[in-house]
Amino acid sequence: MNDMRIGITNQKGGVAKTTNTINVAGALAELGHDVIAVDADPQGYLTNRLGHNNAYTTNADSLFEALKEPRDYDIGRDLAVSHPEFDILPAHVDMFRAEQELIAAGWKPRERLSLLFDHGGIDDWDIAVVDAPPSLGPINDNVLLACEGILVPVETDEMMQLALEHLLNQIETLEQRYDTQIKERGILVSDVNYPLDNEQQRMLDWFEDTFGGRCPVFEIAHRVAIARSIKQGGSIFGEDAEDTDMTDVYLAVAEEVASHA
Ligand SMILES: Nc1ncnc2c1ncn2[C@@H]1O[C@H](COP(=O)(O)OP(=O)(O)OP(=O)(O)O)[C@@H](O)[C@H]1O
Ligand SMILES: [Mg+2]
């Protein structure tokens, strides 16, 4: 199956999901793909960072309503907003309530994003890159079920092994229950500070041993230019971004993603 939709997921907080979503989307756009970045996190950091605070609090219909009635919305016409590098499907603050509302309404709450993508014309774009929330709840399940492939950002601390075990168990449960396949397309070891200490080296070896046979393991160094470009509202591929050696790494991630699309 082709990976037109890539989820960036890890339920652990602050492991660079949003940073990687923005830069992988930027790198795919740099390679010439027509990209939409989807903000599936109710916190809406991607939406707000990329300059769409109005969309995050709008009174007009948003991703929140679209998750309730996914057959009634066209993503391009009704929901997407633009950005110099790629389009964005913004999050909305009401999405904090989405899970309870979906369950209270008696809807199957886990396949809403997938339905929206199928009925709402996500194929108008070459690739969708989806920023997942820091939780293993129903919204993350929506992201996993809507995406054929995932990139998993990790950091080099020991608790990451446990976090990944939980994520992989959840993926296996969904694959069995929904008769689908969700493929790891890359592990993004993120915000790495060099030189590595022993614990970091041990974790890098563990990522390579555990995932190396299944997908590439990329190392993304801590760079001020990465944090700064996001504060300025774009990726490191944006017009005003400072030069950084991490563009090569993100382009390699984007090439890997695109090779499955
Ligand atoms: N390679 C990097 N270089 C410098 N700073 C980075 C890098 N990667 C991530 N950061 C910083 O780490 C912090 C957390 O990143 P980010 O918000 O992307 O994590 P997240 O997983 O999306 O968080 P949450 O779980 O809250 O959604 C941010 O302040 C970000 O700027
Ligand atoms: Mg985030």
Side-chain angles (χ1 to χ4, degrees):
M1 192 194 282
N2 292 341
D3 296 3
M4 304 279 296
R5 310 151 179 194
I6 287 286
I8 305 218
T9 180
N10 183 335
Q11 74 281 5
K12 198 159 183 302
V15 295
K17 289 178 288 295
T18 302
T19 303
N20 285 317
T21 304
I22 292 169
N23 286 298
V24 170
L28 284 162
E30 180 79 6
L31 291 177
H33 299 285
D34 193 12
V35 181
I36 184 164
V38 179
D39 190 357
D41 182 358
Q43 297 177 101
Y45 284 147
L46 183 145
T47 302
N48 285 284
R49 280 298 189 205
L50 299 187
H52 286 284
N53 353 13
N54 289 342
Y56 184 61
T57 53
T58 181
N59 292 324
D61 283 357
S62 70
L63 182 54
F64 172 65
E65 281 79 19
L67 288 173
K68 295 208 281 186
E69 298 288 353
R71 290 179 182 80
D72 293 353
Y73 289 85
D74 182 281
I75 296 166
R77 186 191 61 209
D78 306 322
L79 303 169
V81 295
S82 61
H83 178 271
E85 298 175 64
F86 42 78
D87 292 322
I88 299 168
L89 171 49
H92 192 277
V93 62
D94 285 349
M95 284 162 58
F96 282 115
R97 301 194 271 119
E99 299 181 351
Q100 296 99 298
E101 293 220 359
L102 290 171
I103 292 164
W107 278 312
K108 283 191 195 153
R110 289 180 172 72
E111 294 173 286
R112 318 305 297 181
L113 188 62
S114 180
L115 285 169
L116 175 65
F117 282 179
D118 290 342
H119 293 272
I122 200 77
D123 293 351
D124 291 352
W125 289 268
D126 297 335
I127 300 182
V129 188
V130 187
D131 187 13
S135 122
L136 274 183
I139 293 187
N140 194 54
D141 288 350
N142 268 278
V143 173
L144 291 170
L145 289 172
C147 294
E148 297 95 5
I150 56 171
L151 295 170
V152 183
V154 296
E155 287 178 348
T156 51
D157 77 89
E158 276 176 4
M159 293 312 288
M160 200 46 77
Q161 275 171 260
L162 191 61
L164 284 177
E165 208 174 291
H166 291 147
L167 177 62
L168 295 178
N169 281 341
Q170 184 66 7
I171 289 173
E172 207 178 303
T173 304
L174 290 171
E175 285 182 329
Q176 284 170 5
R177 192 176 301 164
Y178 292 87
D179 189 25
T180 185
Q181 283 202 319
I182 302 156
K183 297 239 166 68
E184 296 99 23
R185 292 307 185 196
I187 303 297
L188 309 180
V189 189
S190 300
D191 207 11
V192 183
N193 277 298
Y194 298 93
L196 299 174
D197 63 24
N198 288 345
E199 182 190 331
Q200 287 179 303
Q201 188 59 56
R202 217 173 27 248
M203 285 306 297
L204 272 172
D205 293 343
W206 184 81
F207 293 135
E208 195 56 60
D209 290 346
T210 310
F211 294 97
R214 304 216 290 245
C215 65
V217 177
F218 298 95
E219 274 176 52
I220 300 158
H222 176 82
R223 291 286 181 267
V224 174
I226 292 179
R228 211 174 270 156
S229 71
I230 289 180
K231 280 190 191 126
Q232 288 164 357
S235 81
I236 54 173
F237 298 92
E239 205 160 284
D240 302 327
E242 304 160 45
D243 284 346
T244 156
D245 54 347
M246 287 303 112
T247 49
D248 285 350
V249 180
Y250 278 112
L251 286 171
V253 176
E255 272 163 14
E256 177 66 25
V257 165
S259 75
H260 299 283

